[in-house]
Amino acid sequence: MKMPRKLTIANLPTNIEHLKRLSSELGNVAIYLKRDDQTGTEVSGNKIRKLEFAIAEAIDNGYDTLITCGAVQSNHARATAAAAAKIGLKCHLILRGSSEDVFEGNYFLDGLFGASIDIVDSEEFKNIDKLLKAKQDELESKGRKGYVLPIGASNGIGGFGYFYAMNEILEQEKTLGIHFDAIVTTVGSAGTFAGLLYANTLVKNDAVVYGINISADREYFAGETKKIIAEMNEYTGENISLSYDEISIIDGYAGRGYGLSTKEEIDFIKYIASLEGVALDPVYTGKAFYGLYNEIKKGNLSNHKNILFIHTGGIFGWKAEQRDIIKNF
Ligand SMILES: *Cc1c(COP(=O)(O)O)cnc(C)c1O
């Protein structure tokens, strides 16, 4: 099988931790956490794994600028800005937001890493493909070369970040002497989920890879997953193809929608933080881990003994309205 080249930016392999107190509270199940929130400081989170492959492709094809997009507090945009600075490339971000957004968290870090930033409103952001292309054309007219990464770096090349992570997990199983029968991740643009699923299918591992979507719905993300898997086939020369039933996305935990929290979600994040000393984030991992917890409580995952949840990061994404929910100590 052909495998694209990757850079070495992230701190890998990331640790796997046993959440002992949570596991004993749930009973009959062992919950483990893969600390992909610790892939680095500036580049922390899951996006750097995808960027290691995407940026290698950009460099190998002579690009000098990374162009990407996301919400104003996008972890992917911040990781791209940080990685660009580490590698010596330029970075341009098109972020969905407004003039009212506080210059904090990921947005602040984007500026700190020297990315140039266009803020556009949600109406304009509907034409994001055109906006990205226009930026690329503008750079070209100045003799530069812009490499466009889609939202979340979730495409064929980005998928290899979690193909690589799946192989890392299989290696760690040997050293730890544990076999994970379920691997669970958040689905935000499906690249992480698709990459894990691709590798899991290719090596015929018997674990079930579950995704828990934090926006949109199962149908939408099953389609995105299929698209990414098809693009990965173009690189590997393999012919992995999955039916809708083989794509295990658990729906029902998007709550109030992307970037919006409920009190139950924030209370749950505080529960885990005080029980285990682990900080989840309100946009992604807090919702998905809350989903996993509820599915276990309902008995829907009772056929699994060792469950590995990927902590994909997001610590910089906390905003005042979410922080304020837990302020009354
Ligand atoms: C982007 C992101 C996700 C979702 O990953 P996708 O590959 O986009 O599905 C999960 N957690 C965090 C913290 C993220 O930033």
Side-chain angles (χ1 to χ4, degrees):
M1 189 202 91
K2 289 191 298 271
M3 179 87 173
R5 183 174 89 88
K6 90 184 241 314
L7 301 176
T8 301
I9 306 175
N11 284 324
L12 303 179
T14 56
N15 287 341
I16 291 180
E17 294 173 359
H18 181 199
L19 300 184
K20 292 199 190 72
R21 285 172 296 280
L22 178 65
S23 302
S24 68
E25 287 205 6
L26 286 166
N28 293 324
V29 66
I31 310 283
Y32 294 84
L33 207 55
K34 182 150 175 74
R35 300 305 302 266
D36 276 15
D37 55 323
Q38 298 176 352
T39 49
T41 300
E42 298 87 352
V43 297
S44 78
N46 61 338
K47 300 308 179 312
I48 191 60
R49 286 191 185 265
K50 309 176 187 188
L51 292 169
E52 286 190 328
F53 285 91
I55 301 176
E57 183 176 83
I59 291 170
D60 292 347
N61 291 285
Y63 290 89
D64 56 53
T65 305
L66 305 177
I67 306 170
T68 196
C69 61
V72 71
Q73 282 298 338
S74 164
N75 297 305
H76 160 66
R78 179 261 309 151
T80 305
K86 282 185 194 293
I87 297 297
L89 298 176
K90 292 197 168 53
C91 178
H92 184 81
L93 304 174
I94 304 176
L95 302 178
R96 188 183 70 234
S98 79
S99 56
E100 267 143 57
D101 285 308
V102 184
F103 193 54
E104 63 174 351
N106 286 309
Y107 180 25
F108 159 72
L109 289 168
D110 297 340
L112 190 69
F113 295 128
S116 55
I117 304 171
D118 289 335
I119 297 284
V120 303
D121 65 27
S122 357
E123 230 9 77
E124 294 170 286
F125 199 84
K126 286 181 183 152
N127 294 316
I128 187 62
D129 290 343
K130 275 193 191 141
L131 298 177
L132 292 165
K133 179 76 173 60
K135 190 69 202 181
Q136 200 177 28
D137 292 347
E138 181 198 318
L139 290 178
E140 196 178 326
S141 73
K142 296 174 183 157
R144 285 171 48 196
K145 215 175 160 199
Y147 180 88
V148 173
L149 298 109
I151 211 154
S154 285
N155 58 5
I157 189 72
F160 286 97
Y162 275 85
F163 180 102
Y164 188 92
M166 187 68 215
N167 288 314
E168 190 177 297
I169 292 166
L170 295 173
E171 279 303 310
Q172 287 175 303
E173 284 192 340
K174 291 182 205 156
T175 14
L176 295 169
I178 302 164
H179 176 59
F180 301 110
D181 46 21
I183 297 172
V184 185
T185 192
T186 312
V187 176
S189 57
T192 302
F193 176 65
L196 291 168
L197 193 55
Y198 194 98
N200 196 61
T201 308
L202 192 73
V203 306
K204 301 189 165 63
N205 186 39
D206 65 1
V208 181
V209 178
Y210 292 98
I212 301 181
N213 58 294
I214 55 82
S215 63
D217 59 22
R218 169 167 155 70
E219 282 64 34
Y220 173 76
F221 283 117
E224 291 298 297
T225 303
K226 278 169 175 269
K227 227 188 286 175
I228 297 166
I229 286 176
E231 287 177 18
M232 289 179 74
N233 281 333
E234 291 174 27
Y235 288 90
T236 61
E238 300 288 329
N239 195 14
I240 302 287
S241 168
L242 296 169
S243 70
Y244 185 76
D245 289 342
E246 292 169 308
I247 298 175
S248 306
I249 294 178
I250 300 172
D251 207 341
Y253 296 99
R256 294 171 56 224
Y258 182 80
L260 303 171
S261 299
T262 64
K263 182 162 188 315
E264 289 71 29
E265 289 163 7
I266 301 292
D267 284 348
F268 176 76
I269 292 173
K270 180 160 184 199
Y271 163 68
I272 295 298
S274 50
L275 185 69
E276 295 283 0
V278 169
L280 299 167
D281 82 291
V283 182
Y284 296 97
T285 57
K287 288 188 182 188
F289 203 62
Y290 183 57
L292 172 61
Y293 177 85
N294 279 288
E295 291 297 302
I296 293 171
K297 286 229 144 176
K298 286 187 209 164
N300 292 347
L301 300 173
S302 56
N303 51 331
H304 299 299
K305 266 188 143 62
N306 293 314
I307 300 180
L308 180 68
F309 181 82
I310 318 279
H311 189 338
T312 42
I315 191 72
F316 300 121
W318 282 91
K319 294 199 282 190
E321 64 257 36
Q322 295 155 330
R323 292 193 297 259
D324 285 349
I325 297 176
I326 51 172
K327 208 170 171 185
N328 54 339
F329 304 109

